[in-house]
Amino acid sequence: MKENKELINLEKIFQFCLEIDKEKMIKRQTYLSDGSVKENDAEHAWHMAIMTILLSGYANEKIDVLKTITMLLIHDIVEIDAGDTYAYDAEAKKTQKERELKAADRIYSILPKEQGDYLRNLWNEFEECKTPEAKFARTLDNIQPTMLNHAANGKSWLEKKVKLSQILDRNKNTAKGSNALWDYSYNHFIKPNVDKGNIIDDM
């Protein structure tokens, strides 16, 4: 009986692992650093996981690094069903929460209950953005694409005609996870692109 339950659990885990392979197929609006192609969700998550290891010392509050990494690795899995919602698409934002909640219900339920509940609760924590880990994860979720946009000479910002006011509004909570990283991002990634005209200065 125990062996049968373990086999069922293994089958569920491998089913989930195969399901999340689809995350590699979800294209984001951010270009890779060389501006050649747009990154996918899996690349985005991997990048932030490593950034967490390297930058966790700059968090405003002490964080559980493994918990934060896990949160970042699973937070966009819902986009397998819900799709990527562009940061400045006001119309798509209206239905984002509903689409992503429905996706979370389906995808995390593939796993054995204990594991599925753990990951779903981490996803909920990221969305609520109240804990030190969630705040820092949100900080990196905003800063990573900003860094890539800067490296690609503002390519995505130029294509979408993004305004400084939009960027500042999206980043209004970025400093809650790390004042130091937000200051660096603004001064080294955002401001230079305003000065170059890659971001429309409407302030």
Side-chain angles (χ1 to χ4, degrees):
M1 193 73 176
K2 184 181 177 182
E3 287 183 4
N4 187 46
K5 184 180 179 182
E6 287 180 356
L7 179 59
I8 291 171
N9 283 344
L10 273 174
E11 287 175 346
K12 288 180 177 179
I13 292 167
F14 276 110
Q15 183 185 350
F16 178 82
C17 290
L18 189 59
E19 182 69 17
I20 64 172
D21 183 68
K22 295 174 183 176
E23 194 177 10
K24 300 172 188 173
M25 307 169 197
I26 307 298
K27 288 291 184 183
R28 294 168 50 81
Q29 294 302 314
T30 309
Y31 285 93
L32 299 182
S33 57
D34 66 355
S36 58
V37 295
K38 292 177 179 178
E39 70 170 351
N40 64 50
D41 271 357
E43 291 165 337
H44 172 62
W46 160 83
H47 208 172
M48 289 187 298
I50 293 182
M51 290 173 70
T52 300
I53 295 169
L54 300 174
L55 297 169
S56 58
Y58 294 93
N60 290 342
E61 306 169 79
K62 184 174 176 58
I63 61 169
D64 180 327
V65 173
L66 179 58
K67 180 183 177 184
T68 308
I69 288 172
T70 307
M71 194 180 288
L72 285 167
L73 287 173
I74 60 97
H75 83 287
D76 274 341
I77 285 173
V78 294
E79 294 186 0
I80 290 169
D81 288 356
D84 175 60
T85 302
Y86 180 51
Y88 307 118
D89 186 341
E91 199 59 35
K93 286 279 185 184
K94 293 176 183 177
T95 61
Q96 182 180 8
K97 187 173 182 179
E98 180 185 350
R99 286 183 283 112
E100 292 187 351
L101 281 170
K102 185 177 178 182
D105 287 342
R106 183 190 76 81
I107 297 169
Y108 292 120
S109 68
I110 294 171
L111 283 164
K113 182 169 173 45
E114 186 176 348
Q115 288 182 319
D117 287 350
Y118 173 68
L119 293 189
R120 175 60 189 269
N121 288 335
L122 271 186
W123 182 79
N124 290 340
E125 185 176 328
F126 176 86
E127 290 298 306
E128 290 166 2
C129 200
K130 293 178 180 177
T131 64
E133 289 80 11
K135 290 174 187 175
F136 190 74
R138 283 296 186 111
T139 294
L140 290 189
D141 196 33
N142 288 340
I143 287 177
Q144 186 264 358
T146 303
M147 176 184 72
L148 290 183
N149 269 317
H150 171 66
N153 294 314
K155 186 173 181 178
S156 180
W157 288 323
L158 280 166
E159 286 181 353
K160 303 290 186 180
K161 296 180 172 58
V162 175
K163 301 172 183 177
L164 178 58
S165 61
Q166 292 175 294
I167 293 174
L168 294 181
D169 182 63
R170 175 165 173 73
N171 283 276
K172 61 181 179 287
N173 294 317
T174 301
K176 290 182 179 179
S178 173
N179 290 315
L181 295 184
W182 165 242
D183 287 346
Y184 188 92
S185 178
Y186 178 78
N187 288 307
H188 292 82
F189 303 147
I190 297 170
K191 191 173 183 301
N193 282 277
V194 174
D195 295 340
K196 290 178 184 177
N198 295 336
I199 296 168
I200 297 169
D201 188 355
D202 62 339
M203 302 295 287

